[in-house]
Amino acid sequence: MTSIDDIRNERVAKVAALKEQGIEAFPVTTEFTHTNKQFLEEFQSLLAPEGEAGTKVKIGGRILSIRQQGKVGFADVFDGTATKVQVFISEEGMGEKIYADFFNQIDASDFIEFEGEAYVTKRGHNSLKATGFRLLS
């Protein structure tokens, strides 16, 4: 069983790794364009016609869960304004390095800001297709 000290040491190491890459682990401001509630309410108007670039959106909140399946993954994010928003994360959308950084350095319960576009998954779930992320805490 993992001890509290082990969890703390892992988190401290992740923050150190972020700092080595020049990434601020605890930024002072956020740049959200929408709350999760606004994103879900405006989803259809944010969705781009197929083959066109969509409206850039920044949402965020606490990560409730993270799932990785090969070169794609999902994170459920909750900001207190609505139900959770599913974020679709892929190597194609974020780039190989940023994708790897996300799954190596981010944990459930972290506060995060995602940038991306409205996207409907193959299973028909309204999501944010991430093009980038920023750790908030």
Side-chain angles (χ1 to χ4, degrees):
M1 181 172 206
T2 305
S3 74
I4 294 294
D5 288 335
D6 292 338
I7 294 169
R8 182 188 176 286
N9 291 339
E10 181 181 331
R11 294 278 180 139
V12 168
K14 287 182 178 186
V15 169
L18 289 170
K19 287 181 179 179
E20 285 177 16
Q21 296 175 33
I23 298 170
E24 175 60 48
F26 305 102
V28 178
T29 61
T30 63
E31 300 172 1
F32 299 158
T33 59
H34 294 74
T35 65
N36 289 358
K37 182 177 181 180
Q38 290 169 329
F39 175 72
L40 294 172
E41 287 174 348
E42 299 172 20
F43 187 83
Q44 290 303 318
S45 66
L46 296 170
L47 197 58
E50 193 163 332
E52 294 184 25
T55 303
K56 288 291 181 190
V57 175
K58 287 188 181 182
I59 64 167
R62 181 181 290 266
I63 295 181
L64 300 177
S65 65
I66 299 174
R67 304 170 303 286
Q68 185 178 16
Q69 303 164 341
K71 294 184 179 187
V72 300
F74 299 90
D76 292 324
V77 180
F78 181 71
D79 72 352
T81 64
T83 60
K84 63 189 177 193
V85 169
Q86 177 176 273
V87 179
F88 174 77
I89 304 159
S90 68
E91 276 190 12
E92 180 184 328
M94 295 177 86
E96 188 175 332
K97 182 184 180 334
I98 296 172
Y99 175 85
D101 287 348
F102 179 84
F103 285 104
N104 290 326
Q105 298 171 351
I106 304 301
D107 296 305
S109 81
D110 285 344
F111 282 88
I112 202 119
E113 176 182 277
F114 284 103
E115 181 175 3
E117 300 176 0
Y119 175 73
V120 179
T121 65
K122 290 180 182 179
R123 293 190 178 190
H125 194 83
N126 293 351
S127 303
L128 180 79
K129 184 176 186 178
T131 56
F133 77 94
R134 186 169 70 129
L135 180 66
L136 300 177
S137 73

